[in-house]
Amino acid sequence: MAVSESSRNALLPSFLYAAPAAASPFAAAASVGGRTVAAPSAAAAARPAIWARAPSEPGRRIEMYSPAFYAACTAGGVASCGLTHMTVTPLDLVKCNMQIDPAKYKSITSGFGVLLKEQGPKGFFRGWVPTLLGYSAQGACKFGFYEFFKKYYSDIAGPEYAAKYKTLIYLAGSASAELIADIALCPMEAVKVRVQTQPGFARGLSDGLPKFVKAEGYSGLYKGIVPLWGRQIPYTMMKFASFETVVEMIYKYAIPAPKNECSKNLQLGVSFAGGYIAGVFCAIVSHPADNLVSFLNNAKGATVGDAVKKIGLVGLFTRGLPLRIVMIGTLTGAQWGIYDAFKVMVGLPTTGGAAPTPAATKA
């Protein structure tokens, strides 16, 4: 089936990821990685395309916004979110218990002490399976759909407005992606919280999920979806928009060389630093809803009103916050580092670092 020129152009949002035309490695024959690359034919040159060249494999190419691009971003999201959340399971376990029973788990150090005394070292990783599965599914949707919606909304806005209102595009794209991602996460999050905060309820996912469904039905797995959206959507909006902004500022003010002249290791270091800073903001913005999610998934039949009455308005904003800042800052930094490392590995550029360039207007 023939593809129209307008449809082909819609696949290529040059105002988000385009490099300067003069720097294109396909403009003429050139030496790349010690090999001579011939210029494309005139017909091929007439077709607009954006390619990301793998640092270690000069001949390997992935077309931006092709199915392979979205598949790579989805796989990177799985590795990024699933592994990092599983790694910080001990911190998450203490945090959840501090939110549910602050009289018993009074501080971070005492919380670890109580868990070690009552459950032993193995207890620190209770609930790691639903954590791994749930956040792997969430990461796939979060990063994959973010890249999709960022392009989709920028196409709607057009080159000039996409460049002018890039932060709004980051916010809208991340919110849309997280709305979908939380549907994948919610059942595993419900089981995880119940396993972690009710000793004796279950050993993990294999026996915890059937018990949960028997007690509250399948609909109970989504009882916390609205508070989860309330926690995760602002979190993800802050995570992506602040990351893109911070990384752009680092390359603009802190690093003397343009991003494309920096080593891949330096670029990945910038990704981690930008992610950590973004994570601090994420933790603060989403913390009240995080307390609500923990309370509702722990107490059968509880409502948001019950949670506010029990925890208190101030408690919603402050209970467990210092630990969550440490956890989310580290988590978000590691996620962006892993995600961008995966992109580099498959031949894609790291995320962020250059302000969108509006298309040239005709006189």
Side-chain angles (χ1 to χ4, degrees), residues 280-293:
V280 173
F281 294 121
C282 292
I284 296 171
V285 167
S286 63
H287 193 65
D290 184 63
N291 273 310
L292 289 176
V293 170

PDB file of all heavy atoms in Angstrom, residues 280-293:
ATOM      1  N   VAL A 280      13.668  13.842  43.641  1.00  0.00           N
ATOM      2  CA  VAL A 280      13.384  14.572  44.879  1.00  0.00           C
ATOM      3  C   VAL A 280      12.066  15.335  44.745  1.00  0.00           C
ATOM      4  O   VAL A 280      11.207  15.299  45.638  1.00  0.00           O
ATOM      5  CB  VAL A 280      14.539  15.533  45.218  1.00  0.00           C
ATOM      6  CG1 VAL A 280      14.171  16.410  46.415  1.00  0.00           C
ATOM      7  CG2 VAL A 280      15.816  14.755  45.516  1.00  0.00           C
ATOM      8  N   PHE A 281      11.895  16.018  43.617  1.00  0.00           N
ATOM      9  CA  PHE A 281      10.637  16.740  43.382  1.00  0.00           C
ATOM     10  C   PHE A 281       9.462  15.769  43.291  1.00  0.00           C
ATOM     11  O   PHE A 281       8.366  16.048  43.785  1.00  0.00           O
ATOM     12  CB  PHE A 281      10.741  17.564  42.101  1.00  0.00           C
ATOM     13  CG  PHE A 281      11.735  18.687  42.163  1.00  0.00           C
ATOM     14  CD1 PHE A 281      12.791  18.740  41.259  1.00  0.00           C
ATOM     15  CD2 PHE A 281      11.632  19.685  43.108  1.00  0.00           C
ATOM     16  CE1 PHE A 281      13.712  19.767  41.303  1.00  0.00           C
ATOM     17  CE2 PHE A 281      12.547  20.718  43.165  1.00  0.00           C
ATOM     18  CZ  PHE A 281      13.589  20.765  42.264  1.00  0.00           C
ATOM     19  N   CYS A 282       9.680  14.629  42.651  1.00  0.00           N
ATOM     20  CA  CYS A 282       8.623  13.618  42.502  1.00  0.00           C
ATOM     21  C   CYS A 282       8.113  13.144  43.857  1.00  0.00           C
ATOM     22  O   CYS A 282       6.905  13.003  44.078  1.00  0.00           O
ATOM     23  CB  CYS A 282       9.154  12.413  41.723  1.00  0.00           C
ATOM     24  SG  CYS A 282       9.519  12.728  40.003  1.00  0.00           S
ATOM     25  N   ALA A 283       9.032  12.867  44.761  1.00  0.00           N
ATOM     26  CA  ALA A 283       8.667  12.335  46.074  1.00  0.00           C
ATOM     27  C   ALA A 283       7.791  13.325  46.829  1.00  0.00           C
ATOM     28  O   ALA A 283       6.785  12.940  47.450  1.00  0.00           O
ATOM     29  CB  ALA A 283       9.929  12.014  46.878  1.00  0.00           C
ATOM     30  N   ILE A 284       8.137  14.588  46.786  1.00  0.00           N
ATOM     31  CA  ILE A 284       7.380  15.607  47.521  1.00  0.00           C
ATOM     32  C   ILE A 284       5.983  15.771  46.941  1.00  0.00           C
ATOM     33  O   ILE A 284       4.985  15.821  47.678  1.00  0.00           O
ATOM     34  CB  ILE A 284       8.144  16.947  47.496  1.00  0.00           C
ATOM     35  CG1 ILE A 284       9.475  16.808  48.243  1.00  0.00           C
ATOM     36  CG2 ILE A 284       7.306  18.068  48.109  1.00  0.00           C
ATOM     37  CD1 ILE A 284      10.398  17.994  48.102  1.00  0.00           C
ATOM     38  N   VAL A 285       5.883  15.832  45.629  1.00  0.00           N
ATOM     39  CA  VAL A 285       4.600  16.068  44.970  1.00  0.00           C
ATOM     40  C   VAL A 285       3.619  14.916  45.186  1.00  0.00           C
ATOM     41  O   VAL A 285       2.423  15.131  45.395  1.00  0.00           O
ATOM     42  CB  VAL A 285       4.829  16.292  43.453  1.00  0.00           C
ATOM     43  CG1 VAL A 285       3.514  16.211  42.689  1.00  0.00           C
ATOM     44  CG2 VAL A 285       5.484  17.640  43.217  1.00  0.00           C
ATOM     45  N   SER A 286       4.118  13.698  45.158  1.00  0.00           N
ATOM     46  CA  SER A 286       3.232  12.524  45.175  1.00  0.00           C
ATOM     47  C   SER A 286       3.066  11.891  46.554  1.00  0.00           C
ATOM     48  O   SER A 286       2.345  10.895  46.682  1.00  0.00           O
ATOM     49  CB  SER A 286       3.767  11.464  44.200  1.00  0.00           C
ATOM     50  OG  SER A 286       5.054  11.018  44.611  1.00  0.00           O
ATOM     51  N   HIS A 287       3.689  12.441  47.589  1.00  0.00           N
ATOM     52  CA  HIS A 287       3.699  11.745  48.874  1.00  0.00           C
ATOM     53  C   HIS A 287       2.325  11.622  49.547  1.00  0.00           C
ATOM     54  O   HIS A 287       2.024  10.561  50.104  1.00  0.00           O
ATOM     55  CB  HIS A 287       4.688  12.412  49.831  1.00  0.00           C
ATOM     56  CG  HIS A 287       4.987  11.578  51.035  1.00  0.00           C
ATOM     57  ND1 HIS A 287       5.633  10.363  50.949  1.00  0.00           N
ATOM     58  CD2 HIS A 287       4.695  11.753  52.352  1.00  0.00           C
ATOM     59  CE1 HIS A 287       5.740   9.835  52.160  1.00  0.00           C
ATOM     60  NE2 HIS A 287       5.185  10.656  53.023  1.00  0.00           N
ATOM     61  N   PRO A 288       1.487  12.658  49.558  1.00  0.00           N
ATOM     62  CA  PRO A 288       0.164  12.474  50.192  1.00  0.00           C
ATOM     63  C   PRO A 288      -0.616  11.305  49.601  1.00  0.00           C
ATOM     64  O   PRO A 288      -1.209  10.501  50.336  1.00  0.00           O
ATOM     65  CB  PRO A 288      -0.531  13.817  49.926  1.00  0.00           C
ATOM     66  CG  PRO A 288       0.587  14.791  49.791  1.00  0.00           C
ATOM     67  CD  PRO A 288       1.688  14.036  49.102  1.00  0.00           C
ATOM     68  N   ALA A 289      -0.623  11.197  48.277  1.00  0.00           N
ATOM     69  CA  ALA A 289      -1.342  10.087  47.640  1.00  0.00           C
ATOM     70  C   ALA A 289      -0.682   8.754  47.950  1.00  0.00           C
ATOM     71  O   ALA A 289      -1.370   7.721  48.034  1.00  0.00           O
ATOM     72  CB  ALA A 289      -1.409  10.300  46.130  1.00  0.00           C
ATOM     73  N   ASP A 290       0.633   8.732  48.140  1.00  0.00           N
ATOM     74  CA  ASP A 290       1.323   7.495  48.497  1.00  0.00           C
ATOM     75  C   ASP A 290       0.847   6.994  49.852  1.00  0.00           C
ATOM     76  O   ASP A 290       0.643   5.793  50.053  1.00  0.00           O
ATOM     77  CB  ASP A 290       2.831   7.725  48.509  1.00  0.00           C
ATOM     78  CG  ASP A 290       3.607   6.442  48.778  1.00  0.00           C
ATOM     79  OD1 ASP A 290       3.515   5.518  47.944  1.00  0.00           O
ATOM     80  OD2 ASP A 290       4.289   6.351  49.815  1.00  0.00           O
ATOM     81  N   ASN A 291       0.664   7.899  50.807  1.00  0.00           N
ATOM     82  CA  ASN A 291       0.121   7.511  52.111  1.00  0.00           C
ATOM     83  C   ASN A 291      -1.291   6.954  51.982  1.00  0.00           C
ATOM     84  O   ASN A 291      -1.656   5.985  52.660  1.00  0.00           O
ATOM     85  CB  ASN A 291       0.121   8.721  53.051  1.00  0.00           C
ATOM     86  CG  ASN A 291       1.432   8.885  53.789  1.00  0.00           C
ATOM     87  OD1 ASN A 291       1.949   7.936  54.377  1.00  0.00           O
ATOM     88  ND2 ASN A 291       1.982  10.086  53.781  1.00  0.00           N
ATOM     89  N   LEU A 292      -2.094   7.560  51.114  1.00  0.00           N
ATOM     90  CA  LEU A 292      -3.461   7.068  50.908  1.00  0.00           C
ATOM     91  C   LEU A 292      -3.466   5.659  50.314  1.00  0.00           C
ATOM     92  O   LEU A 292      -4.244   4.800  50.747  1.00  0.00           O
ATOM     93  CB  LEU A 292      -4.230   8.016  49.980  1.00  0.00           C
ATOM     94  CG  LEU A 292      -4.617   9.384  50.539  1.00  0.00           C
ATOM     95  CD1 LEU A 292      -5.283  10.220  49.461  1.00  0.00           C
ATOM     96  CD2 LEU A 292      -5.550   9.227  51.739  1.00  0.00           C
ATOM     97  N   VAL A 293      -2.613   5.430  49.325  1.00  0.00           N
ATOM     98  CA  VAL A 293      -2.544   4.107  48.690  1.00  0.00           C
ATOM     99  C   VAL A 293      -2.162   3.044  49.715  1.00  0.00           C
ATOM    100  O   VAL A 293      -2.760   1.963  49.761  1.00  0.00           O
ATOM    101  CB  VAL A 293      -1.536   4.118  47.523  1.00  0.00           C
ATOM    102  CG1 VAL A 293      -1.277   2.705  47.009  1.00  0.00           C
ATOM    103  CG2 VAL A 293      -2.060   4.988  46.377  1.00  0.00           C
TER     104      VAL A 293
END
